[in-house]
Amino acid sequence: MKSGAKRLLGRAGFDIVRSTNNLGGVDDFIPFEATMRAARAAGLSVGDHIDQVMNGTPGATQSTIDELSALGVFAAKPDTVLEIGPGSGRYLEKTLKECSPGRYEIYETAAPWANYLVETFGVVAQPTAGSSLAPTPDGSVDLVQAHKVFNTVTFLCASRYFFEMARVTRPGGRIVFDVMTETCLDPAAVRTWATQGGAGHGSYPAAMPRRTCVDLFATLGCTLEASFLAPMGIASTEVLVFGKGA
Ligand SMILES: C[S@@+](CC[C@H](N)C(=O)[O-])C[C@H]1O[C@@H](n2cnc3c(N)ncnc32)[C@H](O)[C@@H]1O
């Protein structure tokens, strides 16, 4: 589409984004209007539609939430939650079924999705610029989470967010995110990605060494408490759960 036409449609309220191959993740996020329409037509919540229909991994979001619940992440009754890249809100919605935070902040670059989450769930959308959580004060958040975000952004974006996540977490709080570590990348998995991973557009799927995360967060006062695999498209990603020292 010519850029002038894009600008006009953009002004008319349409969000023009590159479509994805929807193999379990996206680099440019999925288009808001079309996704909402398709979910409505299928009689599914938008999160379940993404799990079941778009990603072909029914129950994937719930299974991660169940693992986090079993680890006591929600039993700690987080009063302030911060989520980076919530997108459609499929983890946000299920998080709100597990706990009742007084404040839920989001950092989301896709404006139509951020607006939808603010209107639907009453969350607070913070100005999102690259990889900064600057509007959030130090030590103010009980649970910081990001799902399926750090395998869609560059190494620099993810690592800058890591420092910020550790900064805003209060002592005793938790940090939860997934990365495609070496645990997810045995030769068979690499072959699967190489042969079936679509066009490989953007940064998806970006890898991040597990030890890099563990060692970095240790220097920031955060200890790895648990980890588990979660499905991501045609393969998997590793969810890491850190606790910040009191
Ligand atoms: C693959 S989607 C995952 C969305 C959601 N967490 C889920 O699992 O359904 C990645 C999300 O991160 C958002 N995003 C990309 N870059 C970002 C950035 N620098 N800061 C915050 N969000 C970002 C995208 O707009 C998108 O919503």
Side-chain angles (χ1 to χ4, degrees), residues 183-208:
T183 316
C184 316
L185 288 172
D186 65 15
V190 176
R191 182 175 293 275
T192 301
W193 282 115
T195 55
Q196 299 167 43
H201 48 249
S203 306
Y204 176 79
M208 173 67 76

Side-chain angles (χ1 to χ4, degrees), residues 26 29 85-87 90-91 107-110 128 130 147-148 152-153 161:
V26 286
F29 199 45
R90 61 182 171 151
Y91 291 90
Y107 284 81
E108 171 55 66
T109 47
T128 305
H147 300 277
K148 309 284 169 59
T152 69
V153 297
Y161 263 136

Side-chain angles (χ1 to χ4, degrees), residues 151 179-194 204-210 229-230 232 234-238:
N151 23 58
V179 270
M180 191 175 69
T181 62
E182 55 272 41
T183 316
C184 316
L185 288 172
D186 65 15
V190 176
R191 182 175 293 275
T192 301
W193 282 115
Y204 176 79
M208 173 67 76
R210 184 180 205 273
L229 292 186
M232 183 169 74
I234 52 178
S236 63
T237 184
E238 186 171 12

Side-chain angles (χ1 to χ4, degrees), residues 32 85-90 92-93 106 108 111-124:
F32 176 76
S88 68
R90 61 182 171 151
L92 185 156
E93 179 173 20
I106 61 166
E108 171 55 66
W113 286 108
N115 295 339
Y116 160 75
L117 296 176
V118 168
E119 282 160 22
T120 309
F121 299 103
V123 299
V124 177

Side-chain angles (χ1 to χ4, degrees), residues 38-209:
R40 266 196 303 272
L44 294 168
S45 74
V46 65
D48 289 344
H49 173 73
I50 290 172
D51 275 355
Q52 284 179 40
V53 182
M54 298 180 75
N55 291 350
T57 53
T61 304
Q62 189 59 51
S63 82
T64 291
I65 294 290
D66 290 346
E67 293 264 12
L68 296 175
S69 181
L71 291 166
V73 167
F74 305 116
K77 297 193 183 352
D79 188 44
T80 305
V81 177
L82 183 155
E83 183 169 352
I84 298 167
S88 68
R90 61 182 171 151
Y91 291 90
L92 185 156
E93 179 173 20
K94 293 189 191 304
T95 296
L96 290 176
K97 290 194 171 133
E98 298 288 332
C99 60
S100 308
R103 182 176 171 83
Y104 200 122
E105 292 184 18
I106 61 166
Y107 284 81
E108 171 55 66
T109 47
W113 286 108
N115 295 339
Y116 160 75
L117 296 176
V118 168
E119 282 160 22
T120 309
F121 299 103
V123 299
V124 177
Q126 295 283 27
T128 305
S131 40
S132 167
L133 304 177
T136 304
D138 295 2
S140 62
V141 182
D142 300 298
L143 170 62
V144 178
Q145 62 177 345
H147 300 277
K148 309 284 169 59
V149 175
F150 298 139
N151 23 58
T152 69
V153 297
T154 61
F155 168 78
L156 277 183
C157 179
S159 32
R160 285 175 179 147
Y161 263 136
F162 292 164
F163 285 96
E164 282 289 81
M165 292 164 90
R167 176 184 68 76
V168 302
T169 304
R170 76 161 171 77
R174 288 221 172 78
I175 298 170
V176 174
F177 62 88
D178 68 285
V179 270
M180 191 175 69
T181 62
E182 55 272 41
T183 316
C184 316
L185 288 172
D186 65 15
V190 176
R191 182 175 293 275
T192 301
W193 282 115
T195 55
Q196 299 167 43
H201 48 249
S203 306
Y204 176 79
M208 173 67 76

